[in-house]
Amino acid sequence: MPFTQVNSKVVQAKIQAGQRLYSQRGAMLAYSGAVSFTPDLAGGQGGIGGMIGRRVANEATPLMTVEGDGTVMFGHGGHHIEVIELSGETLYVEADRLLAFDGQLRQGTMFMGQQGGVMGMVRGQVTGQGLFTTTLAGNGAAAVMAHGGVLALPVTPQSPVHVDPQAYVAHRGELQNKLTTALGWREMVGRGSGEGFQLELTGSGTVYVQASEEKL
Amino acid sequence: MADFTLQGSKVLAVRMGGDSVKAKNGAMVAYDGQMAFKRLSGGGEGIRGMVTRRLAGESMTMMEVKGTGTCYFADRASEINLVQLGGEKLWVEASNLLCTDGGLRTGTAFTGLRGASQGNGLFTTTLEGAGTAAIMSDGPAVVLRVAPGMPLTVDPGAYVAHTGNLTQQFQSGVNFRTVIGEGGGEAFQIRFEGDGLVYVQPSERNTIGGDV
Protein backbone atom coordinates (compact mmCIF):
# COMPACT_ATOMS: atom_id res chain seq x y z
CA MET A 1 0.00 0.00 0.00
CA PRO A 2 1.43 3.35 -0.92
CA PHE A 3 0.92 5.41 2.27
CA THR A 4 3.30 5.41 5.22
CA GLN A 5 2.95 7.67 8.21
CA VAL A 6 6.03 9.89 8.73
CA ASN A 7 4.62 11.37 11.92
CA SER A 8 1.10 12.07 13.10
CA LYS A 9 0.73 15.02 10.72
CA VAL A 10 2.71 14.03 7.64
CA VAL A 11 2.08 11.07 5.40
CA GLN A 12 4.39 9.73 2.71
CA ALA A 13 3.21 8.11 -0.48
CA LYS A 14 5.35 5.92 -2.71
CA ILE A 15 4.32 6.09 -6.29
CA GLN A 16 5.50 4.04 -9.23
CA ALA A 17 5.17 4.55 -12.92
CA GLY A 18 1.69 3.75 -14.08
CA GLN A 19 0.15 4.37 -10.67
CA ARG A 20 -1.96 7.34 -9.83
CA LEU A 21 -2.94 9.15 -6.65
CA TYR A 22 -5.49 11.84 -6.00
CA SER A 23 -4.81 14.45 -3.37
CA GLN A 24 -6.27 17.70 -2.20
CA ARG A 25 -4.81 20.49 -4.26
CA GLY A 26 -1.86 22.17 -2.54
CA ALA A 27 -1.40 19.46 0.07
CA MET A 28 1.99 18.36 -1.23
CA LEU A 29 4.81 19.26 1.15
CA ALA A 30 7.82 17.74 -0.55
CA TYR A 31 8.67 15.13 -3.13
CA SER A 32 11.60 13.25 -4.56
CA GLY A 33 11.88 11.59 -7.93
CA ALA A 34 10.07 12.41 -11.12
CA VAL A 35 6.56 13.19 -10.00
CA SER A 36 4.07 15.39 -11.78
CA PHE A 37 1.07 17.17 -10.32
CA THR A 38 -1.84 17.99 -12.55
CA PRO A 39 -4.83 19.92 -11.32
CA ASP A 40 -7.80 17.68 -11.81
CA LEU A 41 -10.52 19.90 -13.16
CA ALA A 42 -13.12 17.20 -12.83
CA GLY A 43 -12.29 16.90 -9.11
CA GLY A 44 -11.88 13.15 -9.25
CA GLN A 45 -13.13 10.22 -11.20
CA GLY A 46 -16.18 9.65 -13.29
CA GLY A 47 -15.53 12.11 -16.10
CA ILE A 48 -17.89 14.98 -16.80
CA GLY A 49 -20.82 13.20 -15.21
CA GLY A 50 -18.95 12.69 -11.94
CA MET A 51 -17.79 16.29 -12.02
CA ILE A 52 -21.27 17.67 -12.42
CA GLY A 53 -22.52 15.32 -9.72
CA ARG A 54 -19.94 16.61 -7.28
CA ARG A 55 -20.56 20.25 -8.16
CA VAL A 56 -24.24 19.79 -7.58
CA ALA A 57 -23.57 17.93 -4.38
CA ASN A 58 -21.13 20.58 -3.16
CA GLU A 59 -18.58 17.84 -2.57
CA ALA A 60 -16.16 19.25 -5.14
CA THR A 61 -12.95 19.86 -3.23
CA PRO A 62 -10.16 20.86 -5.61
CA LEU A 63 -8.12 17.76 -6.29
CA MET A 64 -4.93 17.09 -8.19
CA THR A 65 -3.61 13.96 -9.83
CA VAL A 66 -0.17 12.78 -8.78
CA GLU A 67 1.66 10.59 -11.25
CA GLY A 68 5.22 9.48 -11.84
CA ASP A 69 7.92 7.60 -10.00
CA GLY A 70 9.06 8.69 -6.53
CA THR A 71 7.88 9.60 -3.06
CA VAL A 72 5.59 12.46 -2.11
CA MET A 73 4.83 13.86 1.35
CA PHE A 74 1.42 15.23 2.13
CA GLY A 75 0.16 17.34 5.01
CA HIS A 76 -2.37 20.07 5.47
CA GLY A 77 -3.06 22.72 8.08
CA GLY A 78 -1.27 20.82 10.86
CA HIS A 79 -4.17 18.40 11.12
CA HIS A 80 -3.67 14.88 12.29
CA ILE A 81 -3.76 12.31 9.51
CA GLU A 82 -5.13 8.83 9.71
CA VAL A 83 -4.39 6.28 7.00
CA ILE A 84 -7.33 3.99 6.41
CA GLU A 85 -6.74 0.80 4.44
CA LEU A 86 -9.65 -0.53 2.50
CA SER A 87 -10.00 -4.07 1.26
CA GLY A 88 -13.26 -4.18 -0.57
CA GLU A 89 -15.30 -2.09 1.89
CA THR A 90 -16.70 1.36 1.36
CA LEU A 91 -15.45 4.38 3.27
CA TYR A 92 -17.82 7.29 3.84
CA VAL A 93 -16.00 10.56 4.41
CA GLU A 94 -16.49 14.27 3.87
CA ALA A 95 -14.64 15.54 0.79
CA ASP A 96 -12.85 18.30 2.70
CA ARG A 97 -11.43 15.77 5.18
CA LEU A 98 -9.93 13.67 2.42
CA LEU A 99 -6.24 14.47 2.04
CA ALA A 100 -5.14 11.88 -0.51
CA PHE A 101 -6.27 8.53 -1.80
CA ASP A 102 -5.19 5.70 -4.01
CA GLY A 103 -6.19 6.05 -7.64
CA GLN A 104 -7.48 2.49 -7.60
CA LEU A 105 -10.31 3.39 -5.25
CA ARG A 106 -13.64 4.16 -6.85
CA GLN A 107 -14.87 7.56 -5.81
CA GLY A 108 -18.54 8.33 -5.58
CA THR A 109 -21.02 10.70 -4.06
CA MET A 110 -23.82 9.56 -1.83
CA PHE A 111 -27.02 11.38 -1.05
CA MET A 112 -27.64 11.41 2.69
CA GLY A 113 -31.35 10.95 2.17
CA GLN A 114 -30.57 7.43 1.01
CA GLN A 115 -29.76 6.53 4.56
CA GLY A 116 -32.47 7.52 6.93
CA GLY A 117 -34.70 9.49 4.58
CA VAL A 118 -35.70 12.91 5.85
CA MET A 119 -33.76 12.37 9.07
CA GLY A 120 -30.69 11.72 6.94
CA MET A 121 -31.06 15.13 5.41
CA VAL A 122 -31.62 16.76 8.78
CA ARG A 123 -28.53 14.92 9.94
CA GLY A 124 -26.45 16.48 7.18
CA GLN A 125 -27.65 19.92 8.16
CA VAL A 126 -27.10 19.44 11.88
CA THR A 127 -23.60 18.11 11.43
CA GLY A 128 -22.76 20.83 8.95
CA GLN A 129 -21.82 18.18 6.42
CA GLY A 130 -24.45 19.02 3.90
CA LEU A 131 -26.67 16.62 2.07
CA PHE A 132 -23.99 14.62 0.33
CA THR A 133 -20.93 12.71 1.34
CA THR A 134 -18.06 11.15 -0.57
CA THR A 135 -17.63 7.40 -0.79
CA LEU A 136 -14.50 5.46 -1.62
CA ALA A 137 -14.76 1.80 -2.49
CA GLY A 138 -12.34 -0.92 -3.52
CA ASN A 139 -8.85 -1.92 -2.53
CA GLY A 140 -6.39 0.76 -1.51
CA ALA A 141 -5.63 3.34 1.15
CA ALA A 142 -6.94 6.80 1.92
CA ALA A 143 -5.44 9.51 4.13
CA VAL A 144 -8.09 11.31 6.16
CA MET A 145 -7.58 14.49 8.19
CA ALA A 146 -8.94 15.12 11.67
CA HIS A 147 -8.44 17.71 14.37
CA GLY A 148 -6.52 16.23 17.28
CA GLY A 149 -6.12 12.62 16.28
CA VAL A 150 -8.54 9.88 15.49
CA LEU A 151 -10.10 7.19 17.62
CA ALA A 152 -11.39 4.15 15.74
CA LEU A 153 -14.38 2.57 17.46
CA PRO A 154 -15.62 -0.84 16.35
CA VAL A 155 -19.35 -1.21 15.86
CA THR A 156 -20.96 -4.63 16.13
CA PRO A 157 -24.64 -5.58 15.85
CA GLN A 158 -24.67 -6.12 19.64
CA SER A 159 -23.11 -2.80 20.54
CA PRO A 160 -24.20 0.24 18.60
CA VAL A 161 -22.08 3.36 19.06
CA HIS A 162 -23.34 6.91 19.55
CA VAL A 163 -21.18 9.73 18.25
CA ASP A 164 -21.27 13.49 18.65
CA PRO A 165 -22.05 14.76 15.10
CA GLN A 166 -19.31 17.39 15.33
CA ALA A 167 -16.69 14.82 16.31
CA TYR A 168 -17.65 12.35 13.58
CA VAL A 169 -14.95 11.95 10.93
CA ALA A 170 -15.71 8.94 8.74
CA HIS A 171 -17.05 5.42 8.85
CA ARG A 172 -16.66 2.22 6.92
CA GLY A 173 -18.37 -1.10 6.64
CA GLU A 174 -22.02 -2.01 6.68
CA LEU A 175 -23.23 0.73 8.97
CA GLN A 176 -26.54 2.46 9.19
CA ASN A 177 -26.45 5.88 10.71
CA LYS A 178 -29.35 7.63 12.23
CA LEU A 179 -29.65 10.98 13.92
CA THR A 180 -31.12 10.61 17.37
CA THR A 181 -32.29 13.48 19.45
CA ALA A 182 -32.36 13.66 23.19
CA LEU A 183 -34.09 17.00 23.35
CA GLY A 184 -36.05 17.57 26.50
CA TRP A 185 -37.48 20.54 28.31
CA ARG A 186 -33.97 21.44 29.48
CA GLU A 187 -32.90 22.16 25.91
CA MET A 188 -36.02 24.24 25.35
CA VAL A 189 -35.18 26.52 28.25
CA GLY A 190 -31.58 26.79 27.12
CA ARG A 191 -30.12 24.62 29.83
CA GLY A 192 -29.13 21.67 27.73
CA SER A 193 -26.22 19.36 28.36
CA GLY A 194 -24.81 20.15 24.92
CA GLU A 195 -25.50 16.61 23.77
CA GLY A 196 -28.90 17.11 22.20
CA PHE A 197 -28.07 15.43 18.90
CA GLN A 198 -26.23 12.18 18.45
CA LEU A 199 -25.47 9.92 15.56
CA GLU A 200 -26.38 6.34 16.24
CA LEU A 201 -24.35 3.84 14.22
CA THR A 202 -25.62 0.31 14.00
CA GLY A 203 -24.43 -2.68 12.01
CA SER A 204 -20.87 -3.89 11.74
CA GLY A 205 -17.94 -1.72 10.81
CA THR A 206 -15.72 1.00 12.22
CA VAL A 207 -16.44 4.62 13.01
CA TYR A 208 -13.68 7.22 13.22
CA VAL A 209 -14.06 9.96 15.81
CA GLN A 210 -11.80 12.97 16.35
CA ALA A 211 -10.72 14.33 19.71
CA SER A 212 -12.39 17.63 19.14
CA GLU A 213 -15.70 19.21 18.26
CA GLU A 214 -14.17 21.54 15.71
CA LYS A 215 -14.72 21.32 12.00
CA LEU A 216 -11.68 21.43 9.76
CA MET B 1 -16.67 3.55 40.58
CA ALA B 2 -16.21 4.81 37.05
CA ASP B 3 -13.01 3.61 35.39
CA PHE B 4 -10.99 6.35 33.68
CA THR B 5 -8.49 5.44 30.93
CA LEU B 6 -6.79 7.54 28.27
CA GLN B 7 -7.05 6.60 24.60
CA GLY B 8 -3.97 8.29 23.30
CA SER B 9 -3.41 11.62 25.02
CA LYS B 10 -6.47 13.50 23.80
CA VAL B 11 -9.40 11.18 24.32
CA LEU B 12 -10.64 10.02 27.70
CA ALA B 13 -12.62 6.78 27.94
CA VAL B 14 -14.77 6.35 31.02
CA ARG B 15 -16.28 2.95 31.71
CA MET B 16 -19.37 3.14 33.84
CA GLY B 17 -21.61 0.54 35.36
CA GLY B 18 -24.66 2.47 36.38
CA ASP B 19 -22.79 5.19 38.24
CA SER B 20 -22.33 8.79 37.15
CA VAL B 21 -19.57 11.23 36.30
CA LYS B 22 -19.55 14.99 35.90
CA ALA B 23 -18.15 16.30 32.64
CA LYS B 24 -17.77 19.57 30.80
CA ASN B 25 -20.92 20.43 28.88
CA GLY B 26 -20.82 19.07 25.35
CA ALA B 27 -17.49 17.24 25.71
CA MET B 28 -18.84 13.80 24.78
CA VAL B 29 -17.54 12.59 21.42
CA ALA B 30 -18.89 9.03 21.36
CA TYR B 31 -20.37 6.33 23.57
CA ASP B 32 -21.59 2.77 23.51
CA GLY B 33 -24.22 1.31 25.79
CA GLN B 34 -26.89 3.43 27.41
CA MET B 35 -26.11 6.96 28.56
CA ALA B 36 -28.15 9.88 29.78
CA PHE B 37 -26.88 13.45 29.77
CA LYS B 38 -28.22 16.07 32.15
CA ARG B 39 -26.98 19.57 32.64
CA LEU B 40 -26.01 20.43 36.18
CA SER B 41 -27.06 23.90 37.14
CA GLY B 42 -24.42 25.77 39.05
CA GLY B 43 -21.81 23.06 38.76
CA GLY B 44 -23.84 20.57 40.74
CA GLU B 45 -23.48 22.08 44.15
CA GLY B 46 -27.09 22.88 44.82
CA ILE B 47 -28.60 26.30 45.23
CA ARG B 48 -25.90 27.59 47.52
CA GLY B 49 -23.16 26.55 45.13
CA MET B 50 -25.06 28.08 42.26
CA VAL B 51 -25.33 31.43 43.99
CA THR B 52 -21.68 31.32 45.00
CA ARG B 53 -20.68 30.51 41.44
CA ARG B 54 -22.74 33.31 40.02
CA LEU B 55 -21.25 35.76 42.48
CA ALA B 56 -17.78 34.40 41.91
CA GLY B 57 -18.10 34.50 38.15
CA GLU B 58 -16.41 31.10 38.02
CA SER B 59 -18.75 29.86 35.38
CA MET B 60 -18.61 26.13 34.96
CA THR B 61 -21.21 24.38 32.89
CA MET B 62 -21.06 20.73 33.70
CA MET B 63 -23.30 17.84 32.82
CA GLU B 64 -23.99 14.64 34.63
CA VAL B 65 -23.44 11.51 32.56
CA LYS B 66 -25.05 8.41 33.91
CA GLY B 67 -25.43 4.93 32.46
CA THR B 68 -23.71 1.70 31.58
CA GLY B 69 -21.09 1.40 28.88
CA THR B 70 -18.10 3.41 27.77
CA CYS B 71 -18.28 7.13 27.17
CA TYR B 72 -15.52 8.99 25.31
CA PHE B 73 -14.75 12.62 26.12
CA ALA B 74 -12.51 15.12 24.33
CA ASP B 75 -12.45 18.87 23.99
CA ARG B 76 -10.80 20.87 21.20
CA ALA B 77 -7.91 18.39 20.98
CA SER B 78 -6.57 19.40 24.39
CA GLU B 79 -4.17 17.07 26.15
CA ILE B 80 -5.76 15.22 29.06
CA ASN B 81 -4.14 14.39 32.39
CA LEU B 82 -5.59 12.05 34.97
CA VAL B 83 -5.26 12.98 38.62
CA GLN B 84 -6.00 10.43 41.33
CA LEU B 85 -7.34 11.98 44.50
CA GLY B 86 -7.30 10.07 47.75
CA GLY B 87 -9.05 12.51 50.01
CA GLU B 88 -6.93 15.55 49.22
CA LYS B 89 -8.02 18.68 47.46
CA LEU B 90 -7.29 19.75 43.89
CA TRP B 91 -7.45 23.36 42.77
CA VAL B 92 -8.11 23.70 39.06
CA GLU B 93 -9.38 26.34 36.68
CA ALA B 94 -12.95 25.57 35.64
CA SER B 95 -11.96 25.93 31.99
CA ASN B 96 -9.38 23.15 32.42
CA LEU B 97 -11.69 20.64 34.03
CA LEU B 98 -12.93 17.93 31.65
CA CYS B 99 -14.42 15.20 33.77
CA THR B 100 -14.58 14.05 37.39
CA ASP B 101 -15.86 11.10 39.32
CA GLY B 102 -19.42 11.64 40.45
CA GLY B 103 -18.33 11.26 44.05
CA LEU B 104 -15.93 14.21 44.08
CA ARG B 105 -17.22 17.36 45.73
CA THR B 106 -16.77 20.56 43.78
CA GLY B 107 -16.46 23.95 45.35
CA THR B 108 -15.28 27.47 44.73
CA ALA B 109 -12.22 29.07 46.26
CA PHE B 110 -11.01 32.64 46.34
CA THR B 111 -7.68 33.18 44.65
CA GLY B 112 -7.27 36.90 44.95
CA LEU B 113 -5.00 38.84 42.70
CA ARG B 114 -3.56 35.67 41.18
CA GLY B 115 -6.82 34.80 39.49
CA ALA B 116 -7.09 38.21 37.94
CA SER B 117 -3.58 37.96 36.54
CA GLN B 118 -4.43 34.59 34.99
CA GLY B 119 -7.29 36.09 33.13
CA ASN B 120 -9.59 33.69 34.89
CA GLY B 121 -11.33 35.84 37.44
CA LEU B 122 -10.85 35.97 41.16
CA PHE B 123 -12.08 32.48 41.92
CA THR B 124 -11.08 28.96 41.10
CA THR B 125 -12.69 25.52 41.35
CA THR B 126 -11.79 22.97 43.98
CA LEU B 127 -12.33 19.22 43.94
CA GLU B 128 -12.27 17.15 47.08
CA GLY B 129 -12.77 13.49 47.92
CA ALA B 130 -11.60 10.15 46.62
CA GLY B 131 -11.71 9.44 42.90
CA THR B 132 -10.28 10.46 39.56
CA ALA B 133 -10.36 13.82 37.84
CA ALA B 134 -9.39 14.53 34.23
CA ILE B 135 -7.88 17.94 33.63
CA MET B 136 -7.06 19.49 30.28
CA SER B 137 -3.99 21.39 29.23
CA ASP B 138 -2.87 23.05 26.04
CA GLY B 139 0.05 20.72 25.26
CA PRO B 140 1.22 17.95 27.62
CA ALA B 141 1.31 19.23 31.20
CA VAL B 142 4.38 18.88 33.39
CA VAL B 143 3.95 18.03 37.05
CA LEU B 144 6.33 19.98 39.25
CA ARG B 145 7.00 19.06 42.86
CA VAL B 146 7.09 21.70 45.56
CA ALA B 147 8.79 20.75 48.82
CA PRO B 148 9.56 22.78 51.92
CA GLY B 149 12.60 24.89 51.14
CA MET B 150 12.05 24.34 47.41
CA PRO B 151 9.53 26.95 46.36
CA LEU B 152 8.33 27.10 42.78
CA THR B 153 7.43 30.12 40.70
CA VAL B 154 5.15 29.72 37.68
CA ASP B 155 3.73 31.94 35.00
CA PRO B 156 0.04 32.62 35.73
CA GLY B 157 -0.81 31.89 32.10
CA ALA B 158 0.77 28.44 32.20
CA TYR B 159 -0.66 27.36 35.56
CA VAL B 160 -3.28 24.62 35.27
CA ALA B 161 -3.89 23.04 38.66
CA HIS B 162 -2.30 22.15 41.97
CA THR B 163 -2.76 19.73 44.86
CA GLY B 164 -1.35 19.45 48.34
CA ASN B 165 -0.66 21.82 51.13
CA LEU B 166 0.57 24.85 49.26
CA THR B 167 0.45 28.52 49.94
CA GLN B 168 0.50 30.76 46.96
CA GLN B 169 1.83 34.20 46.72
CA PHE B 170 1.47 36.62 43.92
CA GLN B 171 4.58 38.49 42.92
CA SER B 172 5.20 41.10 40.35
CA GLY B 173 8.36 42.00 38.58
CA VAL B 174 7.07 45.34 37.39
CA ASN B 175 9.85 47.89 37.20
CA PHE B 176 10.60 51.00 35.22
CA ARG B 177 11.24 48.98 32.04
CA THR B 178 7.73 47.55 32.17
CA VAL B 179 6.35 51.03 32.63
CA ILE B 180 8.08 52.33 29.52
CA GLY B 181 6.86 49.30 27.55
CA GLU B 182 10.11 47.37 27.46
CA GLY B 183 9.06 44.56 29.78
CA GLY B 184 10.14 40.98 29.37
CA GLY B 185 6.56 39.73 29.27
CA GLU B 186 6.99 38.14 32.68
CA ALA B 187 5.63 40.90 34.86
CA PHE B 188 3.61 38.63 37.15
CA GLN B 189 4.33 35.27 38.68
CA ILE B 190 2.79 32.98 41.27
CA ARG B 191 5.06 31.56 43.92
CA PHE B 192 4.10 28.27 45.57
CA GLU B 193 5.52 27.25 48.92
CA GLY B 194 4.86 24.17 51.03
CA ASP B 195 4.43 20.58 49.98
CA GLY B 196 2.50 19.52 46.88
CA LEU B 197 2.33 19.26 43.12
CA VAL B 198 1.74 21.94 40.49
CA TYR B 199 0.55 21.18 36.94
CA VAL B 200 1.96 23.53 34.33
CA GLN B 201 1.10 23.57 30.63
CA PRO B 202 3.63 24.35 27.86
CA SER B 203 1.52 27.23 26.61
CA GLU B 204 0.34 30.52 27.98
CA ARG B 205 -3.15 31.90 28.16
CA ASN B 206 -3.61 35.53 27.35
CA THR B 207 -3.00 37.35 30.57
CA ILE B 208 -2.45 40.91 31.58
CA GLY B 209 1.04 39.97 32.78
CA GLY B 210 2.01 38.42 29.45
CA ASP B 211 1.34 41.62 27.56
CA VAL B 212 3.52 43.94 29.58
Side-chain angles (χ1 to χ4, degrees):
Chain A
M1 280 302 124
F3 291 109
T4 42
Q5 205 109 26
V6 177
N7 59 35
S8 63
K9 290 169 184 172
V10 179
V11 79
Q12 192 183 54
K14 239 188 186 70
I15 187 158
Q16 284 164 359
Q19 283 185 338
R20 171 186 283 191
L21 271 175
Y22 289 97
S23 91
Q24 211 169 82
R25 212 177 287 173
M28 185 274 285
L29 301 175
Y31 74 91
S32 63
V35 184
S36 67
F37 303 89
T38 352
D40 193 25
L41 291 177
Q45 302 161 340
I48 298 289
M51 168 184 160
I52 293 170
R54 273 185 291 278
R55 286 284 156 82
V56 170
N58 205 14
E59 282 283 316
T61 304
L63 288 181
M64 60 183 182
T65 322
V66 185
E67 281 167 309
D69 195 356
T71 51
V72 191
M73 301 217 208
F74 294 105
H76 183 67
H79 292 300
H80 281 249
I81 300 167
E82 181 81 2
V83 175
I84 300 174
E85 307 261 333
L86 292 174
S87 44
E89 312 105 295
T90 307
L91 178 76
Y92 298 83
V93 64
E94 277 308 296
D96 53 358
R97 288 192 180 272
L98 203 50
L99 180 71
F101 60 95
D102 205 318
Q104 287 169 11
L105 291 171
R106 286 187 312 281
Q107 188 193 11
T109 310
M110 197 198 75
F111 178 52
M112 285 303 207
Q114 276 177 325
Q115 261 194 359
V118 178
M119 228 25 192
M121 288 190 253
V122 176
R123 181 208 112 123
Q125 294 304 319
V126 169
T127 57
Q129 293 172 342
L131 296 177
F132 292 87
T133 195
T134 296
T135 58
L136 290 175
N139 288 298
V144 174
M145 291 186 285
H147 186 229
V150 168
L151 178 71
L153 293 173
V155 185
T156 59
Q158 292 81 38
S159 64
V161 171
H162 295 254
V163 175
D164 188 313
Q166 279 121 27
Y168 165 87
V169 174
H171 75 263
R172 70 158 169 197
E174 291 300 309
L175 287 183
Q176 291 296 315
N177 63 59
K178 194 172 90 186
L179 184 78
T180 57
T181 52
L183 296 177
W185 60 270
R186 287 171 190 280
E187 272 74 17
M188 300 306 155
V189 294
R191 311 215 66 80
S193 62
E195 310 291 4
F197 291 97
Q198 287 143 17
L199 282 181
E200 187 188 18
L201 293 129
T202 47
S204 56
T206 312
V207 57
Y208 297 90
V209 182
Q210 67 176 9
S212 166
E213 270 110 6
E214 266 169 42
K215 267 196 77 98
L216 288 190
Chain B
M1 196 179 272
D3 176 32
F4 286 59
T5 43
L6 285 181
Q7 303 268 324
S9 59
K10 292 176 178 131
V11 180
L12 170 74
V14 181
R15 187 168 301 140
M16 284 179 277
D19 40 359
S20 70
V21 295
K22 284 182 226 172
K24 187 176 175 183
N25 227 25
M28 181 277 284
V29 292
Y31 70 86
D32 56 35
Q34 292 294 321
M35 295 283 162
F37 301 89
K38 194 177 109 187
R39 171 142 158 186
L40 293 170
S41 299
E45 296 159 45
I47 297 292
R48 195 173 149 264
M50 195 167 152
V51 172
T52 323
R53 270 187 192 283
R54 281 289 150 80
L55 291 177
E58 173 81 352
S59 61
M60 178 172 73
T61 30
M62 303 286 279
M63 58 179 181
E64 186 193 53
V65 185
K66 197 172 183 177
T68 46
T70 311
C71 195
Y72 298 89
F73 297 102
D75 188 48
R76 280 176 293 147
S78 305
E79 298 276 331
I80 302 168
N81 312 274
L82 292 182
V83 184
Q84 298 289 342
L85 291 179
E88 69 264 44
K89 203 170 189 179
L90 174 78
W91 282 261
V92 61
E93 288 310 316
S95 56
N96 286 327
L97 190 60
L98 179 68
C99 186
T100 74
D101 242 320
L104 290 177
R105 288 187 302 283
T106 49
T108 315
F110 181 68
T111 54
L113 214 50
R114 171 176 84 72
S117 70
Q118 273 167 289
N120 276 316
L122 295 171
F123 293 84
T124 194
T125 296
T126 57
L127 293 173
E128 210 173 355
T132 316
I135 57 177
M136 294 184 286
S137 56
D138 187 4
V142 284
V143 188
L144 299 172
R145 165 124 232 143
V146 182
M150 291 273 287
L152 176 76
T153 310
V154 301
D155 187 301
Y159 164 85
V160 176
H162 75 268
T163 58
N165 193 14
L166 291 178
T167 53
Q168 35 182 306
Q169 207 185 356
F170 183 72
Q171 63 185 37
S172 95
V174 177
N175 55 20
F176 83 95
R177 284 181 184 279
T178 322
V179 177
I180 60 168
E182 292 290 319
E186 303 290 359
F188 300 102
Q189 289 121 26
I190 329 169
R191 188 181 161 95
F192 288 97
E193 274 173 66
D195 197 5
L197 297 170
V198 181
Y199 292 78
V200 179
Q201 67 181 12
S203 165
E204 293 173 359
R205 283 181 288 262
N206 285 332
T207 57
I208 311 162
D211 295 336
V212 289

